[in-house]
């Protein structure tokens, strides 16, 4: 682990630092050359495959086939699906914001023991495969789950009082479970570096806490809140596993409908039309976001966390902290805890039987993998994903953060494009890869490299969105002042830009890591079973009957959580040279 | 001065990374990162590098996610023929077939395993396979040979049927179900979990049992049966895993509360095997007319340039050596009657009587229409 880390981490950071130094001193043409990196990547692995599958689907014999699309407007069902997709995503996002913002405040403003651990724990939901999360939820609030049994015993009830399975309620709960960490990390990371003196000044001038929040903190935070909200919204908007498994077959998002139409009904034209609709909506969302975002961004003075964070002092603060911990524990940690408990619960009482069984290849299967090998494969894919994401997100971020004075500029067009992969159907993209990447030199359909490439499509927007608010908000005067005082470009970057960027970059990296570990897009690719990752191993165990297979799948999920948590701690402690903690 | 190197460096970095996928060892896998730096040998593609059949050293098997086999048995093929097997998994059977159709002109591999009788007609209509009169066909019962021209050759068969939790029915003093008719009786209210036929293969098979039993025309159609089932509080899940492990009482840690589930006739045997039990905690309903026979086929892709090697692999997959490996890996019965199913199957995986009979053509002709009608009744009414 340490070895991989040194091999990858060091050169990565060196390249990163260099690239930032270089970027600042480039000419306009050279900057555009660098900007070509994200454009070529997206062109090859996103635009080209998507257009190829659309062409095959909508123009089967070279002509536009309108007849096959009739079902779309003849069935009111599709309209219901679209409407449901939009509002459930909005509700879920509000839920994640409601739960995440107070926690972000706590993480941003205070120092307390166990903070790093807690922050790692609340990010874990993001990595869990849906089937496993479903099992955790059922173990907890299912008809025979812990909560219902407790309530039944407590109040002498005959029937389980909580019946959430296959309801909208459980969809919202699961979305909040998955997305709260996005809000906590993205907003919290940004908040931590906001200069508290501004608020202090307002307080001196007689502004009450409410006025301060409304007129100072919230406007300053807005870009980060907007970015986190957008990411959460897009995730909920394209929700698939949660809807199918927890929501049950009654609920369908556009994503679910695309899958059903393309894979089960073999109706590629309708699937393509739905995909276009889904992407169109994503673009519209992005347009709104970009407008709001540009209007709201103001140059900000950033401060080191050493100056913004303090220990919990007053009783009020301590009570608030306890309240927030409890809420996080109930919504985010209890399902994870239920899994941990289940992984030790064997028929012979508490024990390690399931874990031990993970190391035994009972059937001599060619696809057997020990948790260690699976973890190694997962980590390898994740590291490549992180590397790709940074290489693509950094030039993209600098491109977008350039102050543009014209009304129409390329960067305005590019901003939505960079987010589009998040709002695109995985099935459509998967089929796009099959038809587009089928010839050398791009015969990558079944290659291993396509796995981190697909992960990067989903992961790099997170890196981009994490660093963009900082880059945009960075006060140009700060840099100029440093230069006037005689610091050269390198020193400016080292002491001003990089420390500030480092923190937000690490937030992005945490998500890139998580997205790859959790294999968001695994189902859309042709896989090489010789390199099973942890999620693949979990799905394999869940594919065959037997309580023991199930127990092993849960144990493997706990290992996935543990490996991911260790990954977080390492990433957050990533340091290069004498760059200080900011 | 520093400017140029970094501008060049980053694209180069991307390109080398893109090129340096590691080699594909069969065991003891190093991480792709550590293997980095060595570009993989360019992949043989039929269009560019036609390999003469007798020179093939590797043959690619495209299959679904449920495929499994012993490492040792597959190794034997390589020892006998000198040909390595490269395995690609392309999702479940439906996803795999779509992938195959979309990659028809530039195929992903040479041999395909896993198309079943519900997808047979669509696969044949797609003109994906070349016929192969494998010698082993002589040992395979004629009733499985659903493609008379042998583009697709039967490799294994299994049965989708009801499973129930034996202990639950003993404890609750209710008679275990004997027939799908039982499920709509009041005493079985809220006891059953089934999979969505639109997303799950056993779910589709179970719906086809009802189509076969009640028909899609007349006074009481299969949709009427499903309406009754819905009134009796049936639970529909997306796939087999969430039904069996999430909802079935005997499936996991006991959090589920449904003692009847749609699963396979071999699931009780798998329970015995994986949990080291003296006898199964579950039983399957094997009475006449209550199961659906799923036959899975193997075929050679017409556009494969390694026809000779592909035929060798098909021969191997149909040989008793491989066929006897099937039961405890994929939990279905080998198609080759010379293959021994083993004691576990003989004891605990009885073949159901008189399974539902629906011709592949009929399934192909009505599949979408039946699924849509089912979805309207069960989920949209």
């Amino acid at each position: 682990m340490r070895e991989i880390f040194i091999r990858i981490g060091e050169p990565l950071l060196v390249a990163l630092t260099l690239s930032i130094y270089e970027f600042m001193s480039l000419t306009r043409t050279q900057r555009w050359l660098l900007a070509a990196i994200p454009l070529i990547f997206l062109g090859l692995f996103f635009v080209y495959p998507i257009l190829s599958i659309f062409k095959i689907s909508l123009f089967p014999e070279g002509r536009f086939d309108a007849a096959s699309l009739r079902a779309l407007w003849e069935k009111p069902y599709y309209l219901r699906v679209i409407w449901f997709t939009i509002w459930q995503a909005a509700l879920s996002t509000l839920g994640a914001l409601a739960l995440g913002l107070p926690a972000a405040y706590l993480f941003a403003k205070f120092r307390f023991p166990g903070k790093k651990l807690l922050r790692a724990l609340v990010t874990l939901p993001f990595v869990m495969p849906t089937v496993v999360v479903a099992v955790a939820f059922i173990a907890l609030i299912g008809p025979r789950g812990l909560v219902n049994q407790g309530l039944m015993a407590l109040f002498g009830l005959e029937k389980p009082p909580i019946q959430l399975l296959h309801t909208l309620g459980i969809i919202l709960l699961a979305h909040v479970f998955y997305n709260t960490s996005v809000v906590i990390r993205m907003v919290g990371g940004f908040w931590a570096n906001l200069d508290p003196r501004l608020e202090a000044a307002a307080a001196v001038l007689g502004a009450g806490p409410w006025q301060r929040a409304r007129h100072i903190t919230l406007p300053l935070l807005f870009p980060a809140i907007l970015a986190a909200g957008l990411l959460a919204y897009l995730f909920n908007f394209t929700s698939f596993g949660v809807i199918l498994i927890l929501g049950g077959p009654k609920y369908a998002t556009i994503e679910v409908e695309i899958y059903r139409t393309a894979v089960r009904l073999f109706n590629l034209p309708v699937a393509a039309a739905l995909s276009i609709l889904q992407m169109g909506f994503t673009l519209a969302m992005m347009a709104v976001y970009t407008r709001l975002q540009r209007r709201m961004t103001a140059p900000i003075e950033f401060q080191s966390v050493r100056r913004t964070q303090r220990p919990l002092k007053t009783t009020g603060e301590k009570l608030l902290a306890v309240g927030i911990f409890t809420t996080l524990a109930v919504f985010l940690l209890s399902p994870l805890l239920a899994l941990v408990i289940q992984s030790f619960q064997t028929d012979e009482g508490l024990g390690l039987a399931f874990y031990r069984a993970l190391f035994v290849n009972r059937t001599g299967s060619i696809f057997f993998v020990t948790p260690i090998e699976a973890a190694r494969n997962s980590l390898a894919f994740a590291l490549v994903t992180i590397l790709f994401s940074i290489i693509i997100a950094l030039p993209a971020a600098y491109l977008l953060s350039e102050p543009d004075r014209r009304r129409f500029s390329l960067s305005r067009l590019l901003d939505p494009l960079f987010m589009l992969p998040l709002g695109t159907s995985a099935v459509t993209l998967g089929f796009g890869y099959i038809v587009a990447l089928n010839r050398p030199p791009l015969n990558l359909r079944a290659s291993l490299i396509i796995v981190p490439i697909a992960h990067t499509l989903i992961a790099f927007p997170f890196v981009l969105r994490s660093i963009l608010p900082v880059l945009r908000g960075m006060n140009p005067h700060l840099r100029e002042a440093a230069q006037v005082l005689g610091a050269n470009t390198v020193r400016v970057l080292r002491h001003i830009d990089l420390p500030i960027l480092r923190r937000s970059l690490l937030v992005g990296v945490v998500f890139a890591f998580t997205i790859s570990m959790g294999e968001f897009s695994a189902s859309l690719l042709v896989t090489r079973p010789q390199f099973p990752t942890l999620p693949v191993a979990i799905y394999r165990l869940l594919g065959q009957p037997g309580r023991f297979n199930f127990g092993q799948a849960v144990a493997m999920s706990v290992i996935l959580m543990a490996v991911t948590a260790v990954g977080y701690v390492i990433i957050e402690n990533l340091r290069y040279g004498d760059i200080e903690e900011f | 001065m520093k400017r140029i190197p970094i501008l060049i460096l980053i694209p180069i970095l991307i390109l080398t990374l893109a090129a340096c996928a590691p080699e594909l060892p069969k065991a003891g896998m190093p991480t792709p990162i550590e293997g980095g730096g060595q570009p993989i040998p360019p992949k043989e593609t039929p269009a560019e590098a036609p390999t003469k059949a007798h020179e093939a050293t590797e043959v690619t098997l495209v299959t679904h996610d449920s495929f499994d086999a012993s490492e040792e048995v597959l190794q034997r093929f390589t020892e006998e023929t000198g040909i390595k097997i490269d395995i690609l998994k392309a999702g479940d059977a439906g996803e795999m077939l779509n992938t195959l159709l979309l990659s028809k002109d530039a195929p992903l591999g040479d041999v395909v395993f896993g198309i079943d009788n519900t997808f047979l007609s669509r696969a044949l209509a797609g003109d994906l396979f070349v016929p192969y009169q494998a010698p082993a066909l002589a040992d395979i019962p004629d009733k499985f040979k659903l493609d008379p021209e042998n583009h697709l050759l039967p490799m294994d068969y299994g049965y989708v049927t009801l499973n129930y939790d034996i202990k639950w029915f003993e404890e609750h003093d209710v008679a275990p179900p004997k027939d799908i008719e039982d499920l709509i009786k009041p005493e079985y209210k809220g006891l059953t979990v089934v999979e969505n036929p639109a997303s799950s293969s056993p779910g589709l098979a179970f719906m086809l049992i009802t189509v076969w039993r009640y028909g899609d025309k007349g006074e009481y159609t299969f949709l009427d049966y499903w309406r009754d089932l819905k009134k009796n509080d049936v639970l529909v899940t997306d796939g087999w895993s969430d039904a069996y492990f999430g909802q079935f009482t005997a499936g996991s840690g006991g959090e589920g509360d449904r003692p009847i589930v749609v699963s396979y006739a071999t699931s009780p045997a798998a329970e015995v095997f994986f949990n080291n039990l003296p006898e199964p905690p579950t039983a399957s309903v094997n009475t006449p007319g209550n199961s659906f026979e799923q036959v899975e086929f193997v075929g050679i892709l017409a556009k494969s340039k390694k026809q000779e090697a592909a035929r060798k692999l098909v021969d191997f997959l149909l040989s008793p050596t491989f066929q006897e490996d099937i039961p405890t890996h994929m939990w279905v019965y080998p198609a080759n009657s010379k293959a021994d199913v083993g004691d576990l199957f003989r004891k605990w995986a009885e073949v159901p009587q008189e399974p539902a009979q629906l011709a592949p053509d009929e399934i192909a002709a009505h599949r979408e229409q039946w699924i849509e009608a089912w979805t309207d009744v069960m989920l949209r009414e």
Side-chain angles (χ1 to χ4, degrees):
Chain A
M1 187 64 218
R2 203 182 145 68
E3 200 187 325
I4 297 176
F5 190 61
I6 291 167
R7 261 198 222 170
I8 303 297
E10 289 233 357
L12 184 71
L13 275 171
V14 172
L16 196 74
T17 322
L18 277 176
S19 80
I20 294 173
Y21 294 174
E22 292 302 322
F23 200 91
M24 304 311 291
S25 51
L26 294 181
T27 64
R28 207 176 154 68
T29 330
Q30 284 167 328
R31 286 190 198 195
W32 279 105
L33 273 177
L34 201 58
I37 295 170
L39 294 182
I40 290 172
F41 180 84
L42 275 179
L44 278 183
F45 300 116
F46 181 69
V47 179
Y48 169 53
I50 288 280
L51 289 181
S52 304
I53 187 70
F54 284 168
K55 187 170 162 248
I56 287 187
S57 308
L58 294 171
F59 302 88
E61 256 104 50
R63 279 176 300 117
F64 181 64
D65 183 14
S68 52
L69 294 180
R70 210 181 304 137
L72 268 183
W73 52 84
E74 277 183 358
K75 280 202 170 183
Y77 170 73
Y78 286 106
L79 214 63
R80 290 214 303 272
V81 167
I82 294 164
W83 177 231
F84 172 73
T85 311
I86 293 171
W87 68 258
Q88 64 79 21
L91 266 185
S92 305
T93 308
L94 286 179
L97 284 172
L99 196 62
L101 286 179
Y105 169 74
L106 191 70
F107 280 111
K109 291 290 160 200
F110 298 99
R111 275 191 291 271
F112 48 88
K115 184 170 161 181
K116 274 192 176 155
L117 180 71
L118 186 66
R119 193 161 55 197
L121 287 179
V122 296
T123 316
L124 280 180
F126 216 64
V127 81
M128 302 307 290
T130 330
V131 185
V132 181
V133 170
V135 166
F137 272 60
I138 291 167
L140 208 63
I141 51 172
R144 281 166 60 175
L146 284 173
V147 174
N148 270 325
Q149 281 184 343
L151 289 174
M152 281 158 74
L154 205 63
F155 299 106
L157 301 171
E158 299 245 317
K159 273 190 161 181
I162 300 178
Q163 309 232 7
L164 276 178
L165 197 77
H166 292 192
T167 63
L168 181 66
I170 205 161
I171 293 179
L172 297 182
L173 266 182
H175 282 163
V176 168
F177 173 76
Y178 270 112
N179 288 309
T180 300
S181 61
V182 178
V183 178
I184 296 181
R185 290 233 171 210
M186 293 196 88
V187 180
F190 189 79
W191 206 336
N193 291 128
L194 282 186
D195 195 336
R197 282 175 301 187
L198 214 53
E199 273 198 66
V204 169
L205 293 172
W210 172 243
Q211 274 180 305
R212 290 202 301 268
R214 208 180 133 207
H215 294 293
I216 299 189
T217 313
L218 273 181
L220 287 177
L221 277 182
F222 198 73
I225 296 177
L226 206 57
L230 178 77
L231 287 170
Y233 187 89
L234 287 182
F235 256 90
N236 299 327
F237 182 71
T238 55
S239 183
F240 184 71
V242 167
I243 304 283
L244 282 176
I245 295 173
L246 285 169
K250 259 200 181 122
Y251 295 96
T253 51
I254 302 176
E255 180 84 16
V256 168
E257 206 51 44
I258 292 171
Y259 177 82
R260 219 177 64 86
T261 324
V263 177
R264 304 299 159 194
L265 303 178
F266 309 122
N267 192 338
L268 287 181
V270 169
L274 285 171
S275 290
I276 290 172
L277 220 126
Q278 194 190 31
M279 291 168 81
F281 186 83
T282 307
L283 284 179
M285 281 289 299
M286 280 300 304
V288 173
Y289 162 79
T290 315
R291 276 190 91 94
L292 283 176
Q293 215 273 340
R294 278 172 198 259
R295 191 174 301 167
M296 301 301 293
T297 304
I300 297 167
E301 305 279 342
F302 291 105
Q303 272 293 338
S304 161
V305 288
R306 260 184 251 141
R307 301 182 66 163
T308 60
Q309 295 185 343
R310 55 191 174 80
L312 294 161
K313 269 189 299 214
T314 64
T315 324
E317 281 169 4
K318 283 180 186 157
L319 275 178
L320 180 75
V322 170
I324 292 172
F325 291 145
T326 317
T327 326
L328 290 181
V330 168
F331 282 93
L332 303 186
L333 303 184
S334 62
L336 299 178
L337 189 67
L339 278 181
V340 176
I341 294 171
Q342 262 196 335
S343 73
F344 294 106
Q345 240 168 18
T346 67
D347 292 338
E348 290 86 40
L350 291 180
L352 289 170
F354 295 140
Y355 288 90
R356 249 183 252 120
L358 286 176
F359 289 89
V360 184
N361 186 359
R362 263 195 72 189
T363 60
S365 165
I366 186 159
F367 301 124
F368 169 79
V369 61
T370 66
I372 294 168
E373 285 164 340
R376 218 161 54 179
N377 292 336
S378 280
L379 287 172
F381 283 128
L383 285 175
V384 179
T385 303
I386 291 174
L387 191 65
F388 280 9
S389 302
I390 291 178
I391 292 174
I392 288 155
L394 265 185
Y398 270 104
L399 191 71
L400 294 186
S401 68
E402 295 235 315
D404 67 299
R405 288 157 200 101
R406 282 157 300 151
R407 212 177 144 66
F408 294 101
S409 63
L410 192 59
S411 74
R412 278 196 193 191
L413 284 175
L414 289 180
D415 204 351
L417 176 71
F418 288 147
M419 291 298 277
L420 200 52
L422 273 184
T424 300
S425 146
V427 194
T428 311
L429 192 61
F431 284 160
Y433 283 171
I434 299 291
V435 295
L437 306 180
N438 63 353
R439 262 172 262 117
L442 276 179
N443 190 8
L444 301 175
R445 291 176 299 182
S447 72
L448 278 176
I449 201 73
I450 201 75
V451 177
I453 286 177
H455 291 175
T456 302
L457 275 180
I458 309 295
F460 98 89
F462 277 83
V463 182
L464 180 63
R465 289 301 137 193
S466 308
I467 54 182
L468 207 49
V470 180
L471 273 183
R472 279 180 174 153
M474 231 182 247
N475 193 334
H477 302 310
L478 197 66
R479 203 180 291 135
E480 284 156 20
Q483 269 161 342
V484 169
L485 291 174
N488 61 21
T489 319
V490 170
R491 286 197 52 191
V492 171
L493 276 153
R494 182 168 211 109
H495 295 290
I496 296 174
D497 286 14
L498 207 59
I500 297 173
L501 255 187
R502 179 191 159 272
R503 190 181 183 82
S504 56
L505 187 66
L506 288 188
V507 173
V509 166
V510 161
F511 281 110
F513 176 72
T514 317
I515 281 164
S516 184
M517 291 297 285
E519 297 244 34
F520 268 82
S521 43
S523 61
L524 71 100
L525 302 166
V526 170
T527 56
R528 296 211 158 249
Q530 294 90 335
F531 285 90
T533 54
L534 286 167
V536 169
I538 293 168
Y539 282 117
R540 196 175 91 82
L541 287 164
L542 284 175
Q544 292 188 332
R547 155 116 175 86
F548 225 77
N549 282 326
F550 178 77
Q552 287 184 68
V554 175
M556 197 69 110
S557 308
V558 173
I559 293 175
L560 172 65
M561 292 196 306
V563 171
T564 312
V566 170
Y568 293 155
V569 172
I570 292 174
I571 291 173
E572 293 190 334
N573 287 306
L574 203 70
R575 274 195 186 68
Y576 175 66
D578 55 353
I579 293 170
E580 55 185 314
E581 165 96 43
F582 200 73
Chain B
M1 275 300 108
K2 270 187 276 163
R3 230 164 266 179
I4 318 295
I6 193 72
L7 274 177
I8 301 169
L9 195 116
I10 290 182
I12 288 178
L13 198 62
I14 294 179
L15 286 179
T16 35
L17 270 162
C20 69
E23 312 240 345
L24 300 171
K26 293 285 174 214
M29 299 157 257
T31 65
I33 292 303
E34 285 163 355
Q38 284 130 31
I40 35 163
K43 233 184 146 40
E44 288 165 293
T45 40
E48 281 229 326
T51 318
K52 279 185 192 152
H54 61 271
E55 284 172 0
T57 54
E58 192 179 73
V59 63
T60 304
L61 175 67
V62 182
T63 184
H64 54 47
D65 288 343
S66 310
F67 176 80
D68 195 10
S70 309
E71 187 166 9
E72 182 244 338
V73 167
L74 290 181
Q75 194 58 41
R76 240 180 276 173
F77 174 74
T78 310
E79 278 160 20
E80 281 166 20
T81 60
I83 302 169
K84 271 200 243 164
I85 307 174
D86 184 24
I87 300 168
L88 289 183
K89 290 193 169 184
D92 66 16
E95 288 163 339
M96 176 180 78
L97 178 55
N98 256 5
T99 302
L100 291 171
L101 290 167
L102 287 173
S103 61
K104 189 176 161 188
D105 294 325
L108 283 160
D110 310 293
V111 176
V112 173
F113 161 71
I115 287 169
D116 69 14
N117 46 331
T118 67
F119 286 110
L120 181 80
S121 298
R122 185 174 150 79
L124 292 177
D127 222 7
L128 290 165
F129 300 100
V130 284
Y132 175 44
Q133 313 296 331
L137 281 170
D139 300 322
I140 295 175
D142 285 341
K143 66 166 178 167
F144 298 134
K145 296 173 189 160
L146 297 175
D147 172 26
E149 288 161 25
N150 295 319
H151 295 87
L152 284 170
L153 295 75
M155 188 161 125
D156 64 54
Y157 61 101
Y159 299 90
V160 171
T161 183
L162 296 172
N163 278 207
Y164 59 86
D165 179 352
I166 297 172
K167 208 168 106 199
W168 191 96
F169 283 96
E170 279 169 8
E171 281 173 0
H172 289 75
D173 213 16
V174 180
K178 290 225 158 24
D179 192 286
I180 63 170
E181 283 274 335
D182 290 339
L183 305 186
I184 54 178
K185 291 179 183 161
E187 60 265 39
Y188 290 86
K189 191 175 169 84
L191 300 190
T192 314
V193 54
V194 303
E195 299 89 359
N196 186 350
S199 54
S200 146
S201 149
L204 175 69
F206 185 68
M207 185 190 80
L208 292 176
I209 299 175
T210 65
V211 172
W212 182 71
R213 285 277 290 266
Y214 305 104
D216 59 353
K217 286 180 205 72
E219 230 168 76
Y220 190 88
T221 69
F222 78 103
L223 292 172
D224 292 308
Y225 172 82
W226 281 98
R227 277 189 193 99
D228 287 340
L229 209 53
K230 190 179 173 185
K231 271 183 227 144
N232 225 17
D233 192 23
V234 69
L235 183 71
V236 183
T237 66
D238 179 57
W240 177 87
S241 293
D242 37 322
Y244 199 87
F245 288 127
Q247 307 299 333
F248 184 40
T249 46
S252 59
E255 283 86 11
D257 65 346
R258 305 262 166 172
I260 305 173
V261 64
V262 170
S263 190
Y264 298 88
T266 53
S267 303
E271 287 281 349
V272 168
F273 178 84
F274 285 115
N275 300 333
N276 292 316
L277 299 170
E279 54 187 57
T282 61
S284 56
V285 176
N286 295 333
T287 48
N290 286 299
S291 60
F292 181 84
E293 190 172 73
Q294 259 180 336
V295 186
E296 286 189 298
F297 299 88
V298 60
I300 299 169
L301 284 168
K303 288 279 168 73
S304 158
K305 298 283 194 234
K306 299 178 185 169
Q307 296 288 331
E308 179 71 35
R311 282 195 285 272
K312 280 186 190 159
L313 180 58
V314 171
D315 286 342
F316 176 72
L317 293 176
L318 296 180
S319 71
T321 313
F322 184 85
Q323 291 267 309
E324 288 178 4
D325 197 37
I326 288 179
T328 52
H329 282 94
M330 291 190 270
W331 300 95
V332 285
Y333 310 83
N336 189 325
S337 51
K338 288 223 172 109
D340 179 25
V341 294
D343 286 337
L344 183 74
F345 265 43
R346 261 193 294 280
K347 203 163 175 195
W348 301 117
E350 182 197 342
V351 172
Q353 303 159 33
E354 299 169 40
Q357 302 281 332
L358 275 170
D361 284 345
E362 204 185 337
I363 299 172
H366 301 287
R367 164 204 284 274
E368 278 91 83
Q369 175 201 334
W370 286 335
I371 290 178
E372 278 296 290
W374 182 93
T375 310
D376 284 338
V377 166
M378 295 303 286
L379 310 175
R380 296 175 193 161
E381 259 178 20

